[in-house]
Amino acid sequence: MKQNIKENLECVREKIRDAEKKSGRKEGSVTLCAVSKFHPVESILEALNEGQTLFGENRVQEAFQKFSSLKSFSKTHPVLHIIGSLQLNKVKKACEISSCIQSVDRDELLLEIEKQAAKLEKTIDVFFEVKTGEETKSGYISDAPLFSSLEGLAKGSYPHIKAKGLMTMAPFTENEALIHSSFSRLRLLKEKINKEFPSLGITELSMGMSGDYLIAIEEGSTLVRVGTAIFGERSTS
Ligand SMILES: *Cc1c(COP(=O)(O)O)cnc(C)c1O
């Protein structure tokens, strides 16, 4: 089946604009991250040619292979975010190929990102992944360890890391009330963090995927991670 990435992108962008308007949000306040995991380089190129510059991948090795080969094809530079749970031994490569790791879910990951980013003499943006629903496996489960990570950042222990925001996945359910409550939990948590650690200036809420990004925008998402609605179904093999 041929996916029409150009049309899909236009459609998603229009829906984002409508949702911004409907929720009284400023136009352009929601950033679209195109999740290209399991999709080939050609698909990424097609999206790049349509002006999509931000991409998300959840496996470091796959992302490394695809995005290094892109360099020879494309004049526009894609920006890559790592959005999948990360093992310590993958952090070095993740820091080399991406500008942002959205899936920080434990303190030891921060330590390793700091170490590798320092070696590369670059600053890595991070999002803290929070478990807000029943089914999802990854993310900080309670406030205490998250706040301890944030305290370290606020104290300046990680000079090569910039905390940008929070990330979550809503439960996969038809029950929209559950999805709303998952996203609103993340929004409230961000407010709490900004009260406690105003110096961090956390601004971003990464929430919303193909099935629920319109709900996420209603709940204040600033960054939606959309894969299937742009690139089509993934064959996960
Ligand atoms: C795969 C993935 C997405 C995109 O999911 P779709 O339903 O295809 O839009 C978003 N966020 C994360 C963390 C993912 O792993």
Side-chain angles (χ1 to χ4, degrees):
M1 186 175 67
K2 172 97 179 80
Q3 283 297 330
N4 195 332
I5 291 171
K6 177 180 166 38
E7 267 175 30
N8 291 350
L9 255 177
E10 276 166 8
C11 174
V12 170
R13 283 172 180 154
E14 196 177 310
K15 283 184 178 167
I16 290 174
R17 267 197 305 272
D18 284 349
E20 284 172 343
K21 222 176 272 167
K22 241 184 15 219
S23 331
R25 311 262 316 265
K26 228 170 66 195
E27 194 178 320
S29 56
V30 179
T31 301
L32 173 61
C33 176
V35 178
S36 47
K37 65 183 182 200
F38 296 111
H39 290 285
V41 172
E42 296 76 55
S43 298
I44 299 172
L45 264 176
E46 218 176 314
L48 259 177
N49 287 337
E50 295 307 318
Q52 179 63 33
T53 50
L54 176 60
F55 294 85
E57 288 273 347
N58 66 348
R59 293 179 181 198
V60 175
Q61 189 56 32
E62 179 191 339
F64 171 73
Q65 279 163 359
K66 292 194 300 194
F67 281 78
S68 17
S69 73
L70 262 178
K71 279 195 194 114
S72 47
F73 290 119
S74 167
K75 271 178 267 162
T76 8
H77 274 294
V79 178
L80 177 65
H81 287 189
I82 297 296
I83 60 172
S85 57
L86 198 55
Q87 291 169 293
L88 286 183
N89 63 4
K90 299 279 165 44
V91 169
K92 178 170 185 276
K93 198 156 258 179
C95 290
E96 285 169 7
I97 62 173
S98 75
S99 61
C100 176
I101 296 173
Q102 288 201 14
S103 40
V104 171
D105 58 1
R106 57 203 193 276
D107 230 21
E108 60 176 354
L109 213 45
L110 275 185
L111 283 165
E112 187 62 19
I113 294 169
E114 171 59 30
K115 185 173 136 193
Q116 300 300 340
K119 278 191 202 162
L120 295 165
E121 296 180 8
K122 71 191 262 194
T123 302
I124 298 284
D125 294 336
V126 301
F127 286 65
F128 293 91
E129 184 174 0
V130 179
K131 182 172 148 71
T132 56
E134 282 307 311
E135 289 153 73
T136 45
K137 281 169 283 180
S138 44
Y140 285 90
I141 295 162
S142 61
D143 286 3
L146 170 61
F147 277 63
S148 132
S149 295
L150 290 163
E151 203 179 333
L153 271 160
K155 280 197 309 213
S157 309
Y158 306 100
H160 297 86
I161 296 178
K162 168 83 183 98
K164 297 294 270 191
L166 304 176
M167 186 267 254
T168 201
M169 282 201 258
F172 298 101
T173 170
E174 302 276 294
N175 185 339
E176 291 200 356
L178 281 180
I179 300 173
H180 272 282
S181 82
S182 171
F183 291 150
S184 72
R185 268 182 71 186
L186 201 72
R187 188 189 62 239
L188 295 173
L189 184 58
K190 183 184 127 209
E191 287 169 12
K192 194 171 155 191
I193 289 168
N194 278 329
K195 262 189 214 129
E196 196 126 342
F197 305 103
S199 67
L200 291 179
I202 282 186
T203 52
E204 305 298 314
L205 286 173
S206 172
M207 52 191 204
M209 310 186 2
S210 292
D212 56 21
Y213 67 97
L214 298 177
I215 298 178
I217 293 170
E218 266 181 65
E219 292 291 349
S221 172
T222 64
L223 190 151
V224 291
R225 309 177 310 272
V226 179
T228 309
I230 296 171
F231 297 109
E233 296 291 336
R234 290 178 287 271
S235 52
T236 50
S237 63

